């Protein structure tokens, strides 16, 4: 592990970028935040001004190329990820890229190929933070141990309190359901072969024309199956649950039974407002793992292939949403892409 701290630049300082900046400065060891960049220059300057020794850089590509930036955390909108991630590959910078890796599978595959052919080694971790959540990680460990036999089914619930009116039906798939796509590929250790996305009667609380809630069915290549309810205007709070049903038992994440209070004729606990609260620990562990791995010269966690696969599944999901019929996932052959790479 390198003796000096990892000097990090953040691109995109909206909700997640700002959250990660605080995390890097206050909660993650071995990292030093040195630069931030955002199309809203005032917002970047404002954030930089909150910390000692952090500068704001107008051009994200300049931040990536900067000599004093060892690693880049990309928290910009998915639309600009391809250019930014490819620039990180070009400059050999370790990168943590928030999901989705890119907006379509062709561009995600270009990233996989650039990392494989230009960098010649893994550089990029994709921000599927649920894998770092202690409960999810324990569930994965238990399933992998074989103690419960083979996993047969997974049932997910993914609810946001509300989303802005600009969050359209396809984004429910590509921005929200994408997490469960990754979770199921990871838990089953298998690819999703086909996806069906159904549209029940929509809530009156969603913007006009937005299909919310949605119910997705993943058909795993090995025969397993997963269901996911995504409901992004549920009004209650942020609730994410996952139950894996195996041959000898089942295991559930997200029952929210941490603190149970009884007072004034009521009982119950707290439901977080959003993912920053619910997954705060997962984000801390994710970014710490990224920093530690980068200092060792390694990449851990979800890879560009995982990012590519998730994008491909979501594209098929958006297509299925229009008809309610199963759509096969169109994906490159992994062995073909990595031929001779030893990955
Ligand atoms: C958001 O972009 C996220 O990544 C959250 O984790 C997810 O739960 C939410 O639904 C998305 O909008």
């Amino acid at each position: 592990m390198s003796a000096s701290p990892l000097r990090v630049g953040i691109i995109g300082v909206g909700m997640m970028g700002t959250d990660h900046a605080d995390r890097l400065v206050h909660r993650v060891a071995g990292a030093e935040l040195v630069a931030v960049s955002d199309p809203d220059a005032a917002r970047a300057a404002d954030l930089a001004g909150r910390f000692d020794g952090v500068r704001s850089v107008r051009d994200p590509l300049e931040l990536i190329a900067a000599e004093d930036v060892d690693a880049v955390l990309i928290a910009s909108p998915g639309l600009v990820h391809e250019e930014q991630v490819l620039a990180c590959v070009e400059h050999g910078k370790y990168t943590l890229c928030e999901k989705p890796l890119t907006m379509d599978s062709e561009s995600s595959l270009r990233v996989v190929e650039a990392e494989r052919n230009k960098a010649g080694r893994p550089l990029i971790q994709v921000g599927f933070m649920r894998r770092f959540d202690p409960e999810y990680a324990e569930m994965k460990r238990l399933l992998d141990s074989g103690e419960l036999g083979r996993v047969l089914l997974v049932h997910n619930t993914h609810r946001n309190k509300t989303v802005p009116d600009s969050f359209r039906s396809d984004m429910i798939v590509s921005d929200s359901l994408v997490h469960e796509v990754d979770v199921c590929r990871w838990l089953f250790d298998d690819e999703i072969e086909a996806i069906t996305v159904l549209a029940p009667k929509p809530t009156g609380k969603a913007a006009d024309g937005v299909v919310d809630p949605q119910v997705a069915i993943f058909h795993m290549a090995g025969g397993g199956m997963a269901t996911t309810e995504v409901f992004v205007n549920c009004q209650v709070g942020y609730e994410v649950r996952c139950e894996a049903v195996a041959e000898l038992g089942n295991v559930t994440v997200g029952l929210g039974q941490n603190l149970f209070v009884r007072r004034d004729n009521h009982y119950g606990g707290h439901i977080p407002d959003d993912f920053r609260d619910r997954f705060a620990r997962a984000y801390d562990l994710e970014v710490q793992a990224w920093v530690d791995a980068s200092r060792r010269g390694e990449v851990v966690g979800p890879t560009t292939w995982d990012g590519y696969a998730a994008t491909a599944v979501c594209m098929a999901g958006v297509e299925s949403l229009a008809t309610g019929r199963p759509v096969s996932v169109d994906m490159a052959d992994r062995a073909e892409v990595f031929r001779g790479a030893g990955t």
Side-chain angles (χ1 to χ4, degrees):
M1 164 119 48
S2 153
S4 25
L6 186 78
R7 296 166 303 173
V8 177
I10 298 183
I11 301 178
V13 293
M15 185 200 268
M16 272 328 292
T18 302
D19 201 46
H20 284 316
D22 276 325
R23 171 168 295 110
L24 279 163
V25 172
H26 298 299
R27 294 197 294 285
V28 166
E32 188 188 340
L33 180 63
V34 292
V36 294
S37 178
D38 194 276
D40 182 341
R43 181 159 78 168
D46 188 51
L47 182 69
R50 283 177 33 202
F51 307 112
D52 282 344
V54 180
R55 68 181 189 283
S56 65
V57 181
R58 187 167 271 279
D59 180 358
L61 300 182
E62 190 187 312
L63 178 147
I64 293 167
E67 292 249 321
D68 68 342
V69 170
D70 303 319
V72 182
L73 195 161
I74 298 179
S76 52
L79 267 176
V80 291
H81 283 183
E82 182 185 7
E83 183 186 33
Q84 294 171 355
V85 178
L86 288 178
C88 290
V89 169
E90 199 71 49
H91 289 277
K93 303 272 165 103
Y94 286 104
T95 306
L96 173 57
C97 179
E98 273 296 347
K99 39 63 52 178
L101 177 57
T102 67
M103 300 304 283
D104 57 63
S105 56
E106 289 79 13
S107 52
S108 286
L109 190 58
R110 283 197 287 275
V111 171
V112 172
E113 285 170 342
E115 187 186 40
R116 185 227 182 286
N117 300 326
K118 286 207 181 127
R121 66 198 166 104
L123 285 176
I124 297 146
Q125 177 181 334
V126 180
F128 290 120
M129 79 299 190
R130 282 168 173 56
R131 295 194 190 198
F132 293 89
D133 176 72
E135 271 189 271
Y136 272 97
E138 180 55 17
M139 174 191 231
K140 171 73 172 159
R141 193 206 56 74
L142 185 59
L143 296 177
D144 282 358
S145 74
E147 284 170 51
L148 299 181
R150 283 182 305 120
V151 187
L152 305 172
L153 299 166
V154 171
H155 303 292
N156 301 290
T157 305
H158 180 159
R159 299 188 188 140
N160 293 55
K161 188 171 184 177
T162 54
V163 290
D165 286 0
S166 55
F167 203 86
R168 310 305 296 177
S169 307
D170 59 329
M171 294 170 73
I172 296 178
V173 176
S174 58
D175 236 62
S176 299
L177 180 67
V178 67
H179 283 291
E180 279 66 37
V181 168
D182 183 65
V183 160
C184 290
R185 291 184 61 255
W186 179 60
L187 292 180
F188 278 106
D189 201 6
D190 195 10
E191 292 297 353
I192 297 172
E193 193 175 68
I195 174 171
T196 308
V197 183
L198 302 168
K201 187 176 171 63
T203 170
K205 297 290 183 192
D208 273 356
V210 171
V211 180
D212 182 32
Q214 301 177 9
V215 176
I217 302 166
F218 304 151
H219 313 259
M220 308 305 300
M225 209 173 261
T227 58
T228 305
E229 170 206 312
V230 202
F231 186 9
V232 299
N233 290 283
C234 83
Q235 310 297 310
V236 178
Y238 186 71
E239 294 186 291
V240 169
R241 287 190 280 275
C242 175
E243 179 184 21
V245 182
E247 289 169 306
L248 299 172
N250 55 71
V251 42
T252 307
V253 159
L255 292 176
Q257 286 165 337
N258 292 343
L259 186 69
F260 197 87
V261 181
R262 301 164 73 91
R263 62 182 282 188
D264 302 331
N265 304 90
H266 291 281
Y267 63 85
H270 165 74
I271 303 176
D273 242 6
D274 68 35
F275 38 90
R276 287 168 302 176
D277 185 356
R278 162 66 179 87
F279 284 112
R281 185 81 187 119
Y283 285 121
D284 286 353
L285 293 169
E286 174 194 51
V287 176
Q288 185 67 68
W290 174 63
V291 167
D292 291 346
S294 302
R295 293 175 77 205
R296 290 194 308 268
E298 292 172 13
V299 171
V300 293
T303 62
T304 50
W305 182 263
D306 295 318
Y308 161 64
T311 309
V313 173
C314 288
M315 281 176 75
V318 170
E319 194 181 327
S320 170
L321 181 62
T323 61
R325 307 184 79 88
V327 173
S328 300
V329 178
D330 185 13
M331 265 179 69
D333 179 354
R334 192 178 192 284
E336 196 66 41
V337 173
F338 287 96
R339 193 176 299 283
T343 318

